[in-house]
Structures are given as C-alpha cells and as structure tokens.
Coordinates of all heavy atoms in Angstrom, one line a residue:
M262 N 0.9 16.1 -18.4 CA 1.6 15.2 -17.6 C 1.1 13.8 -18.1 O 0.0 13.5 -18.3 CB 1.3 15.4 -16.2 CG 1.7 14.1 -15.3 SD 1.5 14.3 -13.6 CE 0.0 14.9 -13.2
I263 N 2.1 12.9 -18.4 CA 1.9 11.6 -18.8 C 2.0 10.6 -17.5 O 3.1 10.6 -17.0 CB 2.7 11.1 -19.9 CG1 2.4 12.0 -21.1 CG2 2.4 9.6 -20.2 CD1 3.3 11.8 -22.3
L264 N 0.9 9.9 -17.1 CA 1.1 9.0 -16.0 C 1.5 7.6 -16.5 O 1.2 7.2 -17.7 CB -0.3 8.8 -15.2 CG -0.8 10.2 -14.7 CD1 -2.2 9.9 -14.2 CD2 0.1 10.6 -13.6
P265 N 2.2 7.0 -15.6 CA 2.7 5.5 -16.1 C 1.6 4.6 -16.1 O 0.4 4.7 -15.5 CB 3.6 5.2 -14.9 CG 3.4 6.1 -13.8 CD 2.7 7.3 -14.4
N266 N 1.7 3.6 -17.0 CA 0.6 2.5 -17.1 C 0.8 1.6 -16.1 O 2.0 0.9 -15.9 CB 1.0 1.9 -18.5 CG -0.1 0.8 -18.8 OD1 -0.6 0.3 -17.8 ND2 -0.1 0.4 -20.0
P267 N -0.1 1.3 -15.2 CA 0.0 0.4 -14.1 C 0.4 -1.0 -14.5 O 1.1 -1.8 -13.8 CB -1.4 0.4 -13.4 CG -2.0 1.7 -13.8 CD -1.5 1.9 -15.2
E268 N 0.0 -1.5 -15.6 CA 0.2 -2.7 -16.1 C 1.7 -3.0 -16.3 O 2.2 -4.1 -16.2 CB -0.6 -3.0 -17.5 CG -2.1 -3.1 -17.2 CD -2.6 -4.2 -16.3 OE1 -2.0 -5.3 -16.2 OE2 -3.5 -4.0 -15.4
Q269 N 2.4 -1.9 -16.8 CA 3.8 -2.0 -16.9 C 4.7 -1.8 -15.7 O 5.6 -2.2 -15.5 CB 4.2 -0.9 -18.0 CG 3.8 -1.1 -19.3 CD 4.0 0.1 -20.2 OE1 4.3 1.1 -19.9 NE2 4.2 -0.4 -21.6
L270 N 3.9 -0.9 -14.9 CA 4.6 -0.4 -13.6 C 4.6 -1.5 -12.5 O 5.6 -1.7 -11.8 CB 4.0 0.7 -13.0 CG 4.7 1.5 -11.9 CD1 6.2 1.9 -12.3 CD2 3.9 2.7 -11.5
L271 N 3.6 -2.3 -12.5 CA 3.4 -3.4 -11.4 C 4.5 -4.4 -11.4 O 5.1 -4.8 -10.3 CB 2.1 -4.1 -11.5 CG 0.9 -3.3 -10.8 CD1 -0.4 -3.7 -11.2 CD2 1.2 -3.3 -9.2
P272 N 4.9 -5.1 -12.7 CA 6.0 -5.9 -12.6 C 7.3 -5.3 -12.1 O 8.1 -6.0 -11.5 CB 6.1 -6.4 -14.1 CG 4.8 -6.2 -14.6 CD 4.2 -5.0 -13.9
E273 N 7.6 -4.0 -12.6 CA 8.9 -3.4 -12.1 C 8.8 -3.2 -10.6 O 9.8 -3.3 -9.9 CB 8.9 -2.0 -12.8 CG 9.2 -2.2 -14.4 CD 9.2 -0.8 -15.0 OE1 9.2 0.2 -14.3 OE2 8.7 -0.8 -16.2
M274 N 7.7 -2.8 -10.1 CA 7.5 -2.6 -8.6 C 7.7 -3.9 -7.9 O 8.4 -3.9 -6.8 CB 6.1 -2.0 -8.3 CG 6.0 -0.5 -8.7 SD 4.3 0.1 -8.5 CE 4.0 -0.2 -6.8
T275 N 7.2 -4.9 -8.4 CA 7.3 -6.3 -7.7 C 8.8 -6.8 -7.8 O 9.2 -7.1 -6.7 CB 6.4 -7.3 -8.4 OG1 5.1 -6.8 -8.5 CG2 6.5 -8.6 -7.8
E276 N 9.4 -6.5 -8.8 CA 10.8 -7.0 -8.9 C 11.8 -6.2 -8.0 O 12.5 -6.6 -7.2 CB 11.4 -6.7 -10.3 CG 12.7 -7.2 -10.5 CD 13.2 -7.0 -12.0 OE1 12.4 -7.2 -13.0 OE2 14.4 -6.5 -12.1
A277 N 11.5 -4.8 -7.9 CA 12.2 -4.0 -6.8 C 11.9 -4.4 -5.5 O 12.8 -4.4 -4.6 CB 11.9 -2.5 -7.3
L278 N 10.6 -4.6 -5.2 CA 10.2 -5.0 -3.8 C 10.8 -6.3 -3.6 O 11.4 -6.6 -2.3 CB 8.7 -5.1 -3.7 CG 8.1 -5.6 -2.5 CD1 8.5 -4.7 -1.3 CD2 6.7 -5.7 -2.4
E279 N 10.8 -7.3 -4.4 CA 11.5 -8.6 -4.1 C 13.0 -8.5 -3.9 O 13.5 -9.2 -3.0 CB 11.3 -9.6 -5.3 CG 9.9 -10.0 -5.5 CD 9.4 -10.9 -4.4 OE1 10.2 -11.7 -3.9 OE2 8.1 -10.9 -4.0
R280 N 13.6 -7.7 -4.6 CA 15.0 -7.4 -4.5 C 15.3 -6.9 -3.1 O 16.2 -7.2 -2.4 CB 15.6 -6.5 -5.6 CG 17.0 -6.4 -5.6 CD 17.5 -5.7 -6.8 NE 16.8 -4.5 -7.3 CZ 16.0 -4.5 -8.3 NH1 15.8 -5.5 -9.2 NH2 15.4 -3.4 -8.6
Y281 N 14.5 -5.9 -2.7 CA 14.7 -5.2 -1.4 C 14.4 -6.2 -0.3 O 15.2 -6.3 0.8 CB 13.6 -4.1 -1.3 CG 13.7 -3.3 -0.1 CD1 14.4 -2.3 0.2 CD2 12.8 -3.7 1.1 CE1 14.5 -1.5 1.3 CE2 12.9 -2.9 2.3 CZ 13.7 -2.0 2.4 OH 13.9 -1.2 3.6
L282 N 13.3 -7.0 -0.3 CA 13.1 -7.9 0.7 C 14.0 -9.0 0.8 O 14.5 -9.5 2.0 CB 11.7 -8.7 0.5 CG 10.4 -7.7 0.6 CD1 9.2 -8.4 0.1 CD2 10.3 -7.1 1.9
N283 N 14.6 -9.5 -0.3 CA 15.6 -10.6 -0.3 C 17.0 -10.0 0.2 O 17.5 -10.8 1.1 CB 15.9 -11.1 -1.7 CG 14.7 -12.0 -2.1 OD1 14.0 -12.6 -1.5 ND2 14.6 -12.0 -3.4
E284 N 17.4 -8.8 0.0 CA 18.6 -8.3 0.4 C 18.5 -8.1 1.9 O 19.5 -8.1 2.6 CB 18.8 -6.8 -0.1 CG 19.2 -6.8 -1.6 CD 19.3 -5.5 -2.3 OE1 18.9 -4.5 -1.5 OE2 19.6 -5.3 -3.4
R285 N 17.4 -7.9 2.5 CA 17.2 -7.8 4.1 C 16.8 -9.1 4.6 O 16.3 -9.1 5.8 CB 16.3 -6.7 4.2 CG 16.9 -5.3 4.1 CD 15.9 -4.3 3.6 NE 16.6 -3.1 3.2 CZ 17.2 -2.9 2.2 NH1 17.1 -3.7 1.1 NH2 17.8 -1.6 1.9
D286 N 16.7 -10.2 4.0 CA 16.2 -11.5 4.4 C 14.9 -11.5 5.0 O 14.7 -12.1 6.1 CB 17.3 -12.1 5.3 CG 17.1 -13.6 5.4 OD1 16.7 -14.3 4.5 OD2 17.4 -14.1 6.6
I287 N 14.0 -10.7 4.5 CA 12.5 -10.7 4.9 C 11.7 -11.6 4.0 O 11.6 -11.6 2.9 CB 12.0 -9.1 4.7 CG1 12.8 -8.3 5.5 CG2 10.5 -9.2 5.2 CD1 12.5 -6.8 5.3
R288 N 11.3 -12.7 4.9 CA 10.6 -13.8 4.1 C 9.1 -13.9 4.2 O 8.5 -14.3 3.3 CB 11.0 -15.1 4.8 CG 12.6 -15.4 4.7 CD 13.0 -15.6 3.3 NE 14.4 -15.7 3.1 CZ 15.1 -15.2 2.2 NH1 14.4 -14.6 1.1 NH2 16.4 -15.3 2.0
E289 N 8.5 -13.2 5.2 CA 7.0 -13.1 5.3 C 6.5 -11.7 5.7 O 6.0 -11.6 6.8 CB 6.5 -14.2 6.3 CG 6.9 -15.5 6.1 CD 6.4 -16.6 7.1 OE1 5.5 -16.3 7.8 OE2 7.0 -17.6 7.2
P290 N 6.8 -10.8 4.7 CA 6.1 -9.5 5.0 C 4.7 -9.5 5.1 O 4.0 -10.3 4.3 CB 6.7 -8.7 3.8 CG 6.8 -9.7 2.7 CD 7.2 -11.0 3.4
R291 N 4.0 -8.5 5.8 CA 2.7 -8.3 5.8 C 2.3 -7.1 5.0 O 3.0 -6.1 5.2 CB 2.1 -8.1 7.2 CG 2.4 -9.4 8.1 CD 1.7 -10.6 7.7 NE 1.9 -11.6 8.8 CZ 1.7 -12.9 8.4 NH1 1.2 -13.1 7.2 NH2 1.8 -13.7 9.2
F292 N 1.3 -7.3 4.0 CA 1.1 -6.1 3.1 C -0.1 -5.3 3.8 O -1.2 -5.9 4.1 CB 0.6 -6.6 1.8 CG 1.9 -7.0 1.1 CD1 2.7 -8.1 1.4 CD2 2.3 -6.3 -0.1 CE1 3.8 -8.6 0.6 CE2 3.4 -6.7 -0.8 CZ 4.2 -7.7 -0.4
I293 N 0.0 -4.0 3.8 CA -1.1 -3.2 4.1 C -1.4 -2.1 3.1 O -0.4 -1.4 2.8 CB -0.8 -2.5 5.5 CG1 -0.6 -3.6 6.6 CG2 -1.9 -1.6 5.9 CD1 -0.2 -3.0 7.9
G294 N -2.5 -2.0 2.5 CA -2.8 -0.9 1.5 C -3.6 0.1 2.1 O -4.4 -0.1 3.1
I295 N -3.3 1.4 1.8 CA -4.0 2.6 2.4 C -5.2 2.8 1.5 O -5.0 2.8 0.3 CB -3.0 3.7 2.4 CG1 -1.8 3.6 3.3 CG2 -3.8 5.0 2.8 CD1 -0.8 4.7 3.4
R296 N -6.3 2.9 2.2 CA -7.5 3.0 1.5 C -7.7 4.4 0.9 O -7.1 5.3 1.3 CB -8.7 3.0 2.6 CG -10.1 2.8 2.1 CD -11.1 2.8 3.1 NE -11.0 1.9 4.1 CZ -11.4 0.7 4.0 NH1 -12.1 0.1 3.0 NH2 -11.4 -0.2 5.1
T297 N -8.0 4.5 -0.4 CA -8.7 3.5 -1.2 C -7.6 3.0 -2.3 O -7.6 1.8 -2.5 CB -9.9 4.0 -1.9 OG1 -9.5 5.1 -2.8 CG2 -11.0 4.3 -1.0
G298 N -6.9 3.8 -2.9 CA -6.1 3.5 -4.1 C -5.0 2.5 -3.7 O -4.5 1.7 -4.6
G299 N -4.4 2.6 -2.4 CA -3.3 1.7 -2.1 C -3.8 0.3 -1.9 O -2.9 -0.6 -2.1
V300 N -5.2 0.0 -1.7 CA -5.5 -1.3 -1.5 C -5.5 -2.1 -2.8 O -5.0 -3.2 -2.8 CB -7.0 -1.3 -0.9 CG1 -7.6 -2.7 -0.9 CG2 -7.0 -0.6 0.4
W301 N -5.9 -1.4 -4.0 CA -5.8 -2.2 -5.1 C -4.3 -2.4 -5.6 O -4.2 -3.5 -6.2 CB -6.7 -1.7 -6.3 CG -6.2 -0.4 -7.0 CD1 -6.4 0.9 -6.7 CD2 -5.3 -0.5 -8.1 NE1 -5.8 1.7 -7.6 CE2 -5.0 0.9 -8.5 CE3 -4.7 -1.5 -8.8 CZ2 -4.1 1.3 -9.5 CZ3 -3.7 -1.1 -9.8 CH2 -3.6 0.2 -10.3
V302 N -3.5 -1.5 -5.3 CA -2.1 -1.7 -5.8 C -1.5 -2.8 -4.9 O -0.7 -3.6 -5.3 CB -1.3 -0.3 -5.4 CG1 0.2 -0.6 -5.7 CG2 -1.8 0.7 -6.3
A303 N -1.8 -2.8 -3.6 CA -1.3 -3.9 -2.6 C -1.8 -5.2 -3.2 O -1.0 -6.3 -3.1 CB -1.6 -3.7 -1.2
Q304 N -3.1 -5.3 -3.5 CA -3.7 -6.5 -4.0 C -2.9 -7.0 -5.2 O -2.6 -8.2 -5.5 CB -5.2 -6.5 -4.1 CG -5.9 -7.8 -4.4 CD -5.5 -8.8 -3.3 OE1 -6.1 -8.5 -2.2 NE2 -4.9 -10.0 -3.6
A305 N -2.9 -6.1 -6.1 CA -2.2 -6.4 -7.4 C -0.8 -6.9 -7.2 O -0.3 -7.9 -7.9 CB -2.1 -5.1 -8.4
L306 N 0.1 -6.3 -6.2 CA 1.4 -6.8 -5.9 C 1.3 -8.3 -5.4 O 2.1 -9.1 -5.7 CB 2.0 -5.8 -4.9 CG 2.6 -4.5 -5.5 CD1 3.0 -3.5 -4.4 CD2 3.6 -4.6 -6.6
L307 N 0.3 -8.4 -4.5 CA 0.2 -9.9 -4.0 C -0.1 -10.7 -5.2 O 0.5 -11.9 -5.1 CB -0.8 -9.9 -2.8 CG -0.4 -9.3 -1.5 CD1 -1.7 -9.3 -0.6 CD2 0.7 -10.1 -0.9
D308 N -0.9 -10.4 -5.9 CA -1.3 -11.3 -7.1 C -0.1 -11.6 -8.0 O 0.1 -12.6 -8.3 CB -2.4 -10.7 -8.0 CG -3.7 -10.5 -7.1 OD1 -3.9 -11.2 -6.1 OD2 -4.5 -9.7 -7.6
V309 N 0.6 -10.6 -8.3 CA 1.9 -10.7 -9.2 C 2.9 -11.6 -8.6 O 3.5 -12.5 -9.1 CB 2.5 -9.4 -9.6 CG1 3.8 -9.5 -10.2 CG2 1.5 -8.5 -10.5
R310 N 3.0 -11.5 -7.1 CA 3.9 -12.4 -6.4 C 3.4 -13.8 -6.2 O 4.0 -14.6 -5.8 CB 4.2 -11.8 -5.0 CG 4.9 -10.4 -5.0 CD 5.0 -9.9 -3.6 NE 6.2 -10.5 -3.0 CZ 6.4 -10.9 -1.8 NH1 5.3 -10.7 -1.0 NH2 7.5 -11.5 -1.4
G311 N 2.1 -14.0 -6.7 CA 1.6 -15.3 -6.4 C 1.2 -15.7 -5.0 O 1.2 -16.9 -4.7
Q312 N 0.8 -14.6 -4.3 CA 0.5 -14.9 -2.9 C -1.0 -14.6 -2.5 O -1.6 -13.8 -3.2 CB 1.3 -14.1 -2.0 CG 2.8 -14.4 -2.1 CD 3.6 -13.6 -1.1 OE1 3.7 -12.3 -1.4 NE2 4.1 -14.2 0.0
S313 N -1.6 -15.5 -1.7 CA -3.0 -15.2 -1.4 C -3.2 -14.9 0.2 O -4.2 -15.2 0.7 CB -3.7 -16.5 -1.7 OG -3.3 -17.6 -1.0
E314 N -2.1 -14.4 0.8 CA -2.2 -14.1 2.2 C -3.2 -12.9 2.4 O -3.5 -12.1 1.5 CB -0.8 -13.8 2.8 CG -0.1 -12.5 2.1 CD 1.4 -12.4 2.2 OE1 2.0 -13.5 2.1 OE2 1.7 -11.3 2.4
P315 N -3.6 -12.9 3.7 CA -4.6 -11.7 3.9 C -3.9 -10.3 3.7 O -2.7 -10.1 4.0 CB -4.9 -11.9 5.4 CG -4.0 -12.9 5.9 CD -3.4 -13.5 4.8
L316 N -4.7 -9.4 3.2 CA -4.3 -7.9 3.1 C -4.8 -7.1 4.1 O -6.1 -7.1 4.4 CB -4.6 -7.5 1.6 CG -4.4 -6.1 1.3 CD1 -3.0 -5.8 1.2 CD2 -5.2 -5.8 -0.1
G317 N -4.0 -6.3 4.6 CA -4.5 -5.2 5.7 C -4.9 -4.1 5.0 O -4.4 -3.8 3.8
V318 N -5.8 -3.4 5.6 CA -6.4 -2.0 5.0 C -6.3 -1.0 6.0 O -6.8 -1.2 7.2 CB -7.8 -2.2 4.5 CG1 -8.4 -0.9 3.9 CG2 -8.0 -3.4 3.4
L319 N -5.7 0.1 5.7 CA -5.7 1.2 6.6 C -6.3 2.5 6.2 O -6.1 2.9 5.0 CB -4.1 1.5 6.9 CG -3.8 2.4 7.9 CD1 -4.2 2.1 9.3 CD2 -2.2 2.8 7.9
D320 N -7.3 3.0 6.9 CA -7.8 4.3 6.6 C -7.1 5.4 7.3 O -7.1 5.4 8.4 CB -9.5 4.2 7.1 CG -10.1 5.2 6.4 OD1 -9.8 6.4 6.5 OD2 -11.3 5.0 5.9
V321 N -6.8 6.3 6.6 CA -6.0 7.5 7.0 C -6.9 8.7 6.9 O -6.3 9.8 7.0 CB -4.6 7.6 6.3 CG1 -3.8 6.4 6.5 CG2 -4.7 7.9 4.9
S322 N -8.2 8.6 6.8 CA -9.0 9.9 6.5 C -8.9 10.9 7.6 O -8.9 12.1 7.4 CB -10.4 9.4 6.4 OG -10.6 8.5 5.3
F323 N -8.6 10.5 8.9 CA -8.5 11.4 10.0 C -7.3 12.2 9.9 O -7.2 13.2 10.6 CB -8.4 10.7 11.5 CG -9.8 10.1 11.8 CD1 -10.1 8.8 12.4 CD2 -10.9 11.2 12.1 CE1 -11.3 8.4 12.7 CE2 -12.1 10.6 12.5 CZ -12.3 9.3 12.9
Y324 N -6.4 11.7 9.1 CA -5.0 12.4 9.0 C -4.8 13.3 7.8 O -3.8 13.8 7.6 CB -3.8 11.4 9.2 CG -4.2 10.5 10.4 CD1 -4.6 9.1 10.4 CD2 -3.8 11.0 11.8 CE1 -4.7 8.5 11.4 CE2 -4.0 10.3 12.8 CZ -4.5 8.9 12.7 OH -4.7 8.3 13.9
R325 N -5.8 13.3 7.0 CA -5.8 14.1 5.8 C -6.1 15.5 6.0 O -7.1 15.9 6.2 CB -6.8 13.6 4.7 CG -6.6 12.0 4.3 CD -5.6 11.9 3.3 NE -5.7 12.9 2.0 CZ -6.5 12.4 0.9 NH1 -6.9 11.3 0.8 NH2 -6.5 13.3 -0.1
D326 N -5.0 16.4 5.9 CA -5.1 17.8 6.0 C -5.8 18.4 4.9 O -6.3 19.5 5.0 CB -3.8 18.5 6.4 CG -2.8 18.4 5.4 OD1 -3.0 17.6 4.4 OD2 -1.8 19.1 5.3
D327 N -5.7 17.8 3.6 CA -6.2 18.5 2.4 C -7.7 18.4 2.4 O -8.3 19.3 1.7 CB -5.6 17.9 1.3 CG -5.9 16.3 1.1 OD1 -5.9 15.6 2.2 OD2 -5.8 15.8 0.0
F328 N -8.3 17.5 3.1 CA -9.9 17.4 3.0 C -10.5 18.7 3.6 O -11.3 19.3 3.0 CB -10.4 16.2 3.9 CG -10.3 14.9 3.1 CD1 -9.7 14.9 1.8 CD2 -10.9 13.8 3.6 CE1 -9.8 13.6 1.1 CE2 -10.8 12.6 2.9 CZ -10.2 12.5 1.7
T329 N -10.0 19.1 4.7 CA -10.6 20.2 5.5 C -10.2 21.6 4.7 O -11.0 22.5 4.6 CB -10.1 20.4 6.8 OG1 -8.8 20.3 6.9 CG2 -10.7 19.3 7.8
Q330 N -9.0 21.6 4.0 CA -8.7 22.8 3.4 C -9.6 23.0 2.1 O -9.9 24.0 1.6 CB -7.2 22.6 2.8 CG -6.2 22.7 3.8 CD -4.8 22.5 3.3 OE1 -4.6 22.1 2.2 NE2 -3.8 22.5 4.1
K331 N -10.1 21.9 1.6 CA -11.0 21.9 0.4 C -12.5 22.0 0.8 O -13.4 21.9 -0.1 CB -10.7 20.8 -0.5 CG -9.3 20.8 -1.2 CD -9.1 19.5 -2.0 CE -7.7 19.6 -2.4 NZ -7.3 18.3 -3.2
G332 N -12.8 21.9 2.1 CA -14.2 22.0 2.6 C -14.8 20.4 2.5 O -16.0 20.4 2.4
L333 N -13.9 19.5 2.4 CA -14.6 18.2 2.2 C -14.5 17.4 3.5 O -13.8 17.8 4.5 CB -13.7 17.3 1.3 CG -13.5 17.7 -0.1 CD1 -12.5 17.0 -1.0 CD2 -14.8 17.8 -0.9
H334 N -15.5 16.5 3.8 CA -15.6 15.8 5.1 C -15.2 14.4 4.7 O -15.9 13.7 3.9 CB -17.0 15.9 5.6 CG -17.5 17.4 5.9 ND1 -16.8 18.1 6.8 CD2 -18.2 18.2 5.2 CE1 -17.4 19.3 6.9 NE2 -18.2 19.5 5.8
P335 N -14.2 13.9 5.4 CA -13.7 12.5 5.1 C -14.8 11.5 5.4 O -15.6 11.6 6.4 CB -12.5 12.4 5.9 CG -12.6 13.3 7.0 CD -13.5 14.4 6.4
Q336 N -15.0 10.4 4.6 CA -15.8 9.3 4.8 C -14.9 8.2 5.5 O -14.3 7.4 4.8 CB -16.4 8.9 3.6 CG -17.3 9.8 2.8 CD -18.5 10.2 3.5 OE1 -19.1 9.4 4.2 NE2 -18.8 11.5 3.5
V337 N -15.0 8.2 6.8 CA -14.1 7.4 7.5 C -14.6 6.0 7.6 O -15.7 5.9 7.9 CB -13.9 7.9 9.0 CG1 -12.9 7.0 9.8 CG2 -13.3 9.3 9.0
Q338 N -13.7 5.0 7.2 CA -14.1 3.6 7.3 C -13.1 2.9 8.3 O -12.0 3.5 8.4 CB -14.0 3.1 5.9 CG -15.0 3.6 4.9 CD -14.9 3.0 3.6 OE1 -14.7 1.8 3.5 NE2 -15.1 3.8 2.5
P339 N -13.5 1.8 8.8 CA -12.6 1.2 9.8 C -11.4 0.6 9.0 O -11.5 0.2 7.8 CB -13.5 0.0 10.4 CG -14.5 -0.2 9.4 CD -14.7 1.1 8.7
S340 N -10.2 0.6 9.7 CA -9.0 -0.2 9.2 C -9.3 -1.6 9.5 O -10.0 -2.0 10.4 CB -7.8 0.5 9.9 OG -7.7 1.7 9.6
E341 N -8.7 -2.5 8.7 CA -8.8 -3.9 8.9 C -7.4 -4.5 8.9 O -6.7 -4.4 7.8 CB -9.6 -4.5 7.7 CG -11.0 -3.9 7.6 CD -11.7 -4.3 6.2 OE1 -11.3 -5.3 5.6 OE2 -12.6 -3.5 5.7
L342 N -7.0 -5.0 10.0 CA -5.6 -5.6 10.0 C -5.9 -7.0 10.6 O -5.9 -7.3 11.8 CB -4.8 -4.8 11.0 CG -4.5 -3.5 10.6 CD1 -3.7 -2.6 11.7 CD2 -3.7 -3.4 9.3
P343 N -6.0 -8.0 9.6 CA -6.4 -9.3 9.9 C -5.2 -10.3 10.3 O -5.2 -11.4 10.2 CB -7.0 -9.9 8.6 CG -6.3 -9.2 7.5 CD -6.0 -7.8 8.2
F344 N -4.1 -9.6 10.9 CA -3.0 -10.2 11.3 C -2.4 -9.4 12.3 O -2.6 -8.2 12.5 CB -2.0 -10.6 10.1 CG -1.9 -9.4 9.2 CD1 -1.0 -8.3 9.5 CD2 -2.4 -9.3 7.9 CE1 -0.8 -7.2 8.7 CE2 -2.2 -8.3 7.1 CZ -1.4 -7.2 7.4
E345 N -1.4 -10.1 13.2 CA -0.7 -9.5 14.2 C 0.4 -8.5 13.5 O 1.1 -9.0 12.6 CB 0.0 -10.5 15.1 CG 0.8 -9.9 16.2 CD 0.0 -9.1 17.2 OE1 -1.2 -9.6 17.5 OE2 0.6 -8.1 17.7
I346 N 0.6 -7.4 14.0 CA 1.5 -6.4 13.5 C 2.8 -6.3 14.3 O 3.8 -5.9 13.8 CB 1.0 -5.1 13.1 CG1 0.5 -4.3 14.4 CG2 -0.1 -5.2 12.0 CD1 0.1 -2.8 14.0
E347 N 2.6 -6.6 15.6 CA 3.7 -6.6 16.5 C 4.8 -7.5 16.1 O 4.7 -8.8 15.9 CB 3.4 -7.0 17.9 CG 4.3 -6.8 18.9 CD 4.6 -5.4 19.4 OE1 3.6 -4.5 19.2 OE2 5.7 -5.1 19.8
G348 N 6.0 -7.0 15.8 CA 7.2 -7.8 15.5 C 7.2 -8.2 14.0 O 8.1 -9.0 13.6
Q349 N 6.3 -7.8 13.1 CA 6.2 -8.2 11.7 C 6.9 -7.1 10.8 O 7.0 -6.0 11.3 CB 4.8 -8.3 11.3 CG 3.9 -9.2 12.2 CD 4.4 -10.7 11.8 OE1 4.7 -11.0 10.8 NE2 4.4 -11.6 13.0
H350 N 7.3 -7.5 9.7 CA 7.8 -6.8 8.7 C 6.5 -6.2 7.8 O 5.9 -7.1 7.3 CB 8.9 -7.3 7.8 CG 10.2 -7.6 8.5 ND1 10.4 -8.7 8.9 CD2 11.0 -6.7 8.6 CE1 11.7 -8.7 9.4 NE2 12.0 -7.5 9.4
L351 N 6.3 -4.9 7.9 CA 5.1 -4.4 7.1 C 5.5 -3.7 5.9 O 6.4 -2.9 5.9 CB 4.3 -3.5 8.1 CG 4.0 -4.1 9.4 CD1 3.4 -2.9 10.3 CD2 3.0 -5.3 9.2
V352 N 4.7 -3.9 4.8 CA 4.9 -3.3 3.5 C 3.7 -2.4 3.4 O 2.6 -2.9 3.2 CB 5.0 -4.2 2.3 CG1 5.2 -3.4 1.1 CG2 6.2 -5.1 2.5
L353 N 3.8 -1.1 3.6 CA 2.7 -0.1 3.5 C 2.7 0.5 2.1 O 3.7 1.0 1.5 CB 2.9 1.0 4.6 CG 1.8 2.0 4.9 CD1 0.5 1.3 5.4 CD2 2.3 3.1 5.8
I354 N 1.5 0.4 1.5 CA 1.4 0.6 0.1 C 0.3 1.8 -0.1 O -0.8 1.5 0.4 CB 0.9 -0.5 -0.8 CG1 2.2 -1.6 -0.5 CG2 0.9 -0.3 -2.1 CD1 1.8 -3.0 -1.0
D355 N 0.7 2.8 -0.9 CA -0.2 3.8 -1.3 C -0.3 4.0 -2.8 O 0.6 3.4 -3.4 CB 0.2 5.1 -0.6 CG -1.1 6.2 -0.5 OD1 -2.2 5.8 -1.1 OD2 -0.8 7.2 0.1
D356 N -1.1 4.8 -3.3 CA -1.1 4.8 -4.8 C -0.6 6.1 -5.2 O -0.8 6.6 -6.4 CB -2.6 4.6 -5.2 CG -3.6 5.8 -4.8 OD1 -3.2 6.5 -3.8 OD2 -4.6 6.0 -5.5
V357 N 0.0 6.9 -4.5 CA 0.5 8.3 -4.8 C 1.8 8.2 -5.4 O 2.8 7.7 -4.9 CB 0.7 9.3 -3.5 CG1 1.2 10.6 -3.9 CG2 -0.6 9.3 -2.8
L358 N 1.9 8.7 -6.6 CA 3.2 8.6 -7.4 C 3.9 10.0 -7.2 O 5.0 10.1 -7.1 CB 3.0 8.5 -8.9 CG 2.4 7.1 -9.3 CD1 2.1 7.1 -10.7 CD2 3.4 6.0 -8.9
M359 N 3.1 11.0 -7.1 CA 3.5 12.3 -6.8 C 2.4 13.3 -6.3 O 1.4 12.9 -6.5 CB 4.3 12.9 -8.0 CG 3.3 13.3 -9.1 SD 4.3 14.1 -10.5 CE 3.8 13.0 -11.8
T360 N 2.8 14.4 -5.7 CA 1.8 15.2 -5.2 C 2.1 16.6 -5.5 O 3.3 17.0 -5.5 CB 1.5 15.0 -3.7 OG1 0.5 15.9 -3.3 CG2 2.7 15.2 -2.9
G361 N 1.2 17.5 -5.6 CA 1.4 18.8 -5.8 C 1.6 19.7 -4.6 O 1.8 20.9 -4.7
R362 N 1.5 19.1 -3.5 CA 1.7 19.7 -2.2 C 3.2 19.7 -1.7 O 3.9 18.8 -2.0 CB 0.8 19.1 -1.2 CG -0.7 19.2 -1.5 CD -1.6 18.8 -0.4 NE -1.4 17.4 0.1 CZ -1.6 17.1 1.4 NH1 -2.0 18.0 2.3 NH2 -1.4 16.0 1.7

C-alpha cells in the first residue's frame, strides 16, 4: 500500500475545504482536531489557510472499541475546546484515510 504524501495532500484538502465552506457561505468555522493525529492535520490546515485562530482538541479514547479488542488501555487526556461550540460551524478533523475495520 502506498500512502499519500501529506505535503501534497494538504494543499488539495485546503482547496476542497475552502470550496465547501464558500459554497455554504461559512465564514468563521471552528476547527477541532481529534487527538492525536487529527490535531496536527487540523493545525496544518489552519497554517495553510493563514489563520491563527484557536484550535480545539477532542479526545475520543473512551469511544475506541479497538483498544479493548487488542487488550490496550486508552491514555485518556482532556478535550480542549477554547471557544463556544453552540451555534458554530465546526470542522472536525481526523487523520484516518482508510481503515481495515
């Protein structure tokens, strides 16, 4: 399996996201990265967009069914949402391109 190069993929993702947001007239979306890999992707998207707004971080460890199946114990960390989410447009970002499940 050949994985895509993030340096090439990020500009494409940013362009597609911009197009999506513009078509829906969404001007101030809030970005939330899923811990851990989604956080760096979300930050990279904000950087490519030239934005320095706060980034939310969501920990989904409690909801991972694959951890217990493999005998792993999740290292739960607190979620960080440094902005109001009620009534906001949220862009939830993870790093999963595909899964075998």
